[in-house]
Amino acid sequence: MNGSTASVQPSQDTLQFLQAIEPEDLSLATFVDSLVTTSDTGKELGEFTVSIQYAKYKGEDAYLIHANSHGAIDNVPCGTSITAYVSPKLETLEQQHHEYVKLADHPLDRKTFIVIQDDKMVINKVVTQGEEVSRGAETFDLTTMKGFISEGSNLLLQRILVRKGLPASLSFLSFDSETNLCTTTYKSLEVRRETVGKEEVEVVGIERTIHSTADLPTTWQSYFLKDGHLCNRVQVGSPVTMKLLRMPRIVEKEEPSERPVFEKKGLDINEDMQLFSMFLDRKDQLKNDHAMYMRHHPELQAILADFLQFLLLRKPEDIFPFAVDYFSSFSSQLPSHSPYAKSSEIPPKPQKVDTNLPPPPYP
């Protein structure tokens, strides 16, 4: 079934805000939140975690968002989990949303899948109530889904809003609990103080409301630390509150610092005592090393003495080829060739004349 967005449109301010999101805004929002779920009497009922990290989706830059909320209300197990990939402009590329309530006689399990296929957003639903299973599918043209914020991208959006500052009001496209397309609005709440652990901190509030076209509006009020860490979250009308019990490490924006400039100074070994001491130590080390090598190889001194004596006897004009010729006789890879050959060659013996040959003819 094809969905329609004719009566639902995001505000122009919303589209401009999404286009203004910078890479730094996203990198500062990549961390983990961990809260506890408590009843109105203060009893711990479960836990709520949100993690956002940089990832790749089909080879493109993306952000992986994972949220889990599990616990028991009135001894009835229930929970929600969200896994989503969103683009740097908060476009939902893929999302899996799972909700369950394990009632003894009538358990409920709802799974919603969102995926982008070609130029369409495809939504598949599987709802299990007791023994009954219902399935549904819907598609939306991507050109009509600009400004759409899913449950997954909402978690990243709120962290960005805390740092960048929330305008008077923003209106996005979203789905209600039955995946009916509708609008969702964000507005700021008054700054207040919360106690986290043993510290009292100032927190920033954001109110999010989903304006369902088929049901009553649903509103959440969330309070954040200045860096975007979630501190308190409650659904209006619900007895359950999510609270931060321990202060996390605050994510600070790194300010670019000027690189120090050091004046280049010339080195004078005679004035720098430390440098002069290092020079003497190195000099002694080399002398000892060379002397030890000479002691282990006495043949070296004999070879060099022979070469120098032969060099002074011959006194060649070009020493280099003479040295090559001399030392080549020590190589096992070259044919043996003595440099003394030129002065010690034995002249060839004269050929024997055959006296029995007839005399040459005369003219």
Side-chain angles (χ1 to χ4, degrees), residues 3-64:
S4 173
T5 62
S7 60
V8 183
Q9 294 295 328
S11 66
Q12 195 62 34
D13 290 341
T14 294
L15 300 179
Q16 292 176 357
F17 178 86
L18 292 175
Q19 289 302 315
I21 294 176
E22 299 290 340
E24 185 182 40
D25 301 325
L26 297 165
S27 65
L28 291 172
T30 54
F31 52 82
V32 177
D33 274 329
S34 183
L35 293 84
V36 296
T37 306
T38 62
S39 66
D40 51 1
T41 62
K43 180 183 177 181
E44 290 191 15
L45 304 174
E47 60 182 8
F48 175 64
T49 60
V50 179
S51 70
I52 300 177
Q53 63 187 67
Y54 172 78
K56 287 285 187 178
Y57 182 81
K58 297 182 178 179
E60 299 294 332
D61 291 340
Y63 288 84
L64 173 61

Side-chain angles (χ1 to χ4, degrees), residues 178-215:
E178 300 297 327
T179 63
N180 298 308
L181 193 63
C182 58
T183 58
T184 180
T185 56
Y186 294 79
K187 71 175 185 178
S188 60
L189 299 172
E190 289 185 2
V191 175
R192 71 183 192 188
R193 300 191 73 80
E194 289 270 353
T195 300
V196 180
K198 297 181 180 180
E199 297 184 46
E200 187 175 284
V201 293
E202 192 175 85
V203 293
V204 178
I206 296 177
E207 183 177 88
R208 178 195 181 214
T209 302
I210 294 181
H211 303 274
S212 174
T213 57
D215 203 347

Side-chain angles (χ1 to χ4, degrees), residues 129-147:
Q129 292 181 308
E131 299 296 327
E132 297 181 5
V133 179
S134 62
R135 301 176 184 273
E138 199 166 4
T139 61
F140 294 87
D141 194 319
L142 280 182
T143 58
T144 65
M145 296 296 285
K146 293 180 179 179

Side-chain angles (χ1 to χ4, degrees), residues 34-309:
S34 183
L35 293 84
V36 296
T37 306
T38 62
S39 66
D40 51 1
T41 62
K43 180 183 177 181
E44 290 191 15
L45 304 174
E47 60 182 8
F48 175 64
T49 60
V50 179
S51 70
I52 300 177
Q53 63 187 67
Y54 172 78
K56 287 285 187 178
Y57 182 81
K58 297 182 178 179
E60 299 294 332
D61 291 340
Y63 288 84
L64 173 61
I65 302 167
H66 186 65
N68 262 303
S69 175
H70 297 288
I73 301 177
D74 296 331
N75 295 322
V76 177
C78 58
T80 301
S81 67
I82 297 171
T83 302
Y85 285 93
V86 302
S87 75
K89 295 301 180 184
L90 305 193
E91 301 158 323
T92 300
L93 307 173
E94 182 181 303
Q95 177 179 281
Q96 300 177 21
H97 189 181
H98 181 207
E99 301 171 277
Y100 68 88
V101 179
K102 294 185 178 180
L103 293 168
D105 301 326
H106 200 69
L108 171 66
D109 188 282
R110 180 188 290 117
K111 296 177 181 177
T112 305
F113 304 93
I114 300 176
V115 67
I116 304 300
Q117 294 181 353
D118 299 326
D119 58 347
K120 303 288 184 182
M121 177 181 287
V122 180
I123 295 92
N124 289 288
K125 295 186 296 180
V126 180
V127 180
T128 304
Q129 292 181 308
E131 299 296 327
E132 297 181 5
V133 179
S134 62
R135 301 176 184 273
E138 199 166 4
T139 61
F140 294 87
D141 194 319
L142 280 182
T143 58
T144 65
M145 296 296 285
K146 293 180 179 179
F148 172 78
I149 293 294
S150 65
E151 289 300 312
S153 55
N154 160 68
L155 298 170
L156 177 54
L157 171 63
Q158 291 191 84
R159 292 183 179 183
I160 295 173
L161 288 173
V162 171
R163 281 192 173 271
K164 291 181 73 71
L166 179 62
S169 179
L170 289 177
S171 177
F172 297 84
L173 297 183
S174 188
F175 288 136
D176 63 13
S177 60
E178 300 297 327
T179 63
N180 298 308
L181 193 63
C182 58
T183 58
T184 180
T185 56
Y186 294 79
K187 71 175 185 178
S188 60
L189 299 172
E190 289 185 2
V191 175
R192 71 183 192 188
R193 300 191 73 80
E194 289 270 353
T195 300
V196 180
K198 297 181 180 180
E199 297 184 46
E200 187 175 284
V201 293
E202 192 175 85
V203 293
V204 178
I206 296 177
E207 183 177 88
R208 178 195 181 214
T209 302
I210 294 181
H211 303 274
S212 174
T213 57
D215 203 347
L216 295 175
T218 306
T219 300
W220 291 266
Q221 292 182 343
S222 303
Y223 286 87
F224 300 84
L225 301 177
K226 64 178 182 178
D227 67 340
H229 275 100
L230 183 60
C231 181
N232 186 296
R233 182 175 185 260
V234 63
Q235 181 178 337
V236 175
S238 170
V240 176
T241 302
M242 298 170 183
K243 292 183 177 181
L244 180 65
L245 296 184
R246 185 181 303 172
M247 277 293 291
R249 183 179 63 85
I250 300 300
V251 180
E252 299 287 354
K253 181 178 179 180
E254 294 185 2
E255 298 292 342
S257 57
E258 295 184 2
R259 297 180 62 182
V261 178
F262 299 98
E263 182 181 353
K264 188 175 181 180
K265 296 181 179 180
L267 296 177
D268 189 339
I269 196 169
N270 296 317
E271 294 182 0
D272 192 327
M273 297 301 297
Q274 183 179 3
L275 185 62
F276 187 66
S277 177
M278 292 172 61
F279 164 73
L280 293 178
D281 290 343
R282 181 58 176 162
K283 180 180 177 182
D284 291 340
Q285 181 184 359
L286 289 174
K287 286 174 64 177
N288 293 335
D289 185 58
H290 296 165
M292 181 180 295
Y293 184 82
M294 294 285 285
R295 286 195 300 270
H296 290 170
H297 299 276
E299 68 276 10
L300 176 60
Q301 189 171 358
I303 292 173
L304 293 178
D306 287 347
F307 170 69
L308 185 59
Q309 182 181 21

